[in-house]
Amino acid sequence: SQTIHQWPATLVQPVGSPLSLECTVEGTSNPNLYWYRQAAGRGLQLLFYSVGIGQISSEVPQNLSASRPQDRQFILSSKKLLLSDSGFYLCAWSKRTYEQYFGPGTRLTVT
Amino acid sequence: GQQVMQIPQYQHVQEGEDFTTYCNSSTTLSNIQWYKQRPGGHPVFLIQLVKSGEVKKQKRLTFQFGEAKKNSSLHITATQTTDVGTYFCARRREYGNKLVFGAGTILRVKS
């Protein structure tokens, strides 16, 4: 069966510090991968989307970037965090049937 | 555009009462998906509807897709405290494997 992992689960970072969140998927190959941000417990905003290694589509201009160095690894990064980057970051994967399966998420607080 | 509108935004019911959330689109949907997110958790895929007028049931949950494929509903019969959470509908974008999520309906159940 497929599983998706995200770490860390929670993170508190000062403004201006870098960020690296990692997501890995097991039990499937060549998945579509997604990064979402959820603010205030409502609404899922798609940040990045990837159909394969090195292929990243950015949905909104922002302070974040994403990379996919391996088939089942998706990384969300920032060089300098802003207060507005606080939120719940969710990684998800999908295959051809389009339903998405989410990881447990990372709660980021920028102070 | 491709947005989906969910109503109500919030509902507080007595345990044992029924609950319905609606998802509406101004354009025809190729399919509609429903997700549930428990408080503090991540969204979990519930179901996908693709056919006009389709009705699917999962125990106390009934999902419907409108005849015109522009709206959908999720009905919970005799709510239980385990039903609390936010229910999201999502539509597939016209191109690619991305989803557009509704803002969600928050359900609270009083015991």
Side-chain angles (χ1 to χ4, degrees):
Chain A
S1 64
Q2 301 87 5
T3 55
I4 178 169
H5 304 278
Q6 279 187 252
W7 62 91
T10 60
L11 192 59
V12 180
Q13 291 285 93
V15 168
S17 64
L19 173 74
S20 181
L21 302 181
E22 188 162 344
C23 169
T24 59
V25 181
E26 296 177 355
T28 187
S29 60
N30 197 30
N32 298 316
L33 295 173
Y34 311 82
W35 277 112
Y36 290 89
R37 178 169 56 203
Q38 186 175 38
R42 295 286 305 274
L44 293 161
Q45 180 187 29
L46 180 62
L47 303 175
F48 298 97
Y49 163 60
S50 173
V51 297
I53 296 174
Q55 301 179 65
I56 309 295
S57 170
S58 175
E59 286 295 299
V60 294
Q62 57 203 318
N63 186 41
L64 302 168
S65 62
S67 62
R68 185 170 177 175
Q70 299 180 41
D71 181 45
R72 290 169 289 177
Q73 183 185 29
F74 206 19
I75 297 172
L76 183 69
S77 304
S78 174
K79 292 182 179 179
K80 289 185 178 182
L81 283 169
L82 306 171
L83 284 174
S84 57
D85 292 323
S86 293
F88 189 35
Y89 288 83
L90 291 155
C91 180
W93 71 272
S94 74
K95 294 287 277 188
R96 293 177 188 173
T97 47
Y98 311 117
E99 66 262 27
Q100 294 185 8
Y101 298 93
F102 289 81
T106 295
R107 296 196 182 277
L108 171 66
T109 303
V110 182
T111 60
Chain B
Q2 295 193 48
Q3 300 299 317
V4 285
M5 305 300 296
Q6 272 191 264
I7 53 172
Q9 291 185 346
Y10 180 85
Q11 189 150 11
H12 203 170
V13 301
Q14 189 71 39
E15 188 174 21
E17 292 181 341
D18 293 356
F19 160 77
T20 304
T21 175
Y22 300 90
C23 184
N24 300 307
S25 171
S26 59
T27 58
T28 302
L29 304 167
S30 58
N31 66 33
I32 194 78
Q33 299 180 10
W34 286 93
Y35 294 77
K36 175 185 178 181
Q37 184 176 23
R38 294 180 183 273
H42 59 278
V44 174
F45 172 75
L46 295 176
I47 209 160
Q48 176 169 263
L49 306 172
V50 297
K51 297 178 182 177
S52 169
E54 189 170 13
V55 178
K56 288 188 177 180
K57 292 190 175 184
Q58 291 179 352
K59 297 183 181 179
R60 294 178 295 104
L61 277 61
T62 302
F63 303 85
Q64 294 190 7
F65 202 8
E67 293 288 345
K69 299 184 75 173
K70 289 186 175 182
N71 55 73
S72 180
S73 65
L74 159 58
H75 179 83
I76 302 178
T77 303
T79 55
Q80 300 175 359
T81 55
T82 53
D83 295 324
V84 299
T86 304
Y87 292 85
F88 294 98
C89 65
R91 67 171 294 171
R92 186 188 158 206
R93 291 193 189 180
E94 286 186 21
Y95 305 103
N97 298 320
K98 291 176 275 191
L99 298 176
V100 176
F101 283 84
T105 295
I106 298 174
L107 171 64
R108 293 289 178 257
V109 179
K110 293 181 289 187
S111 60

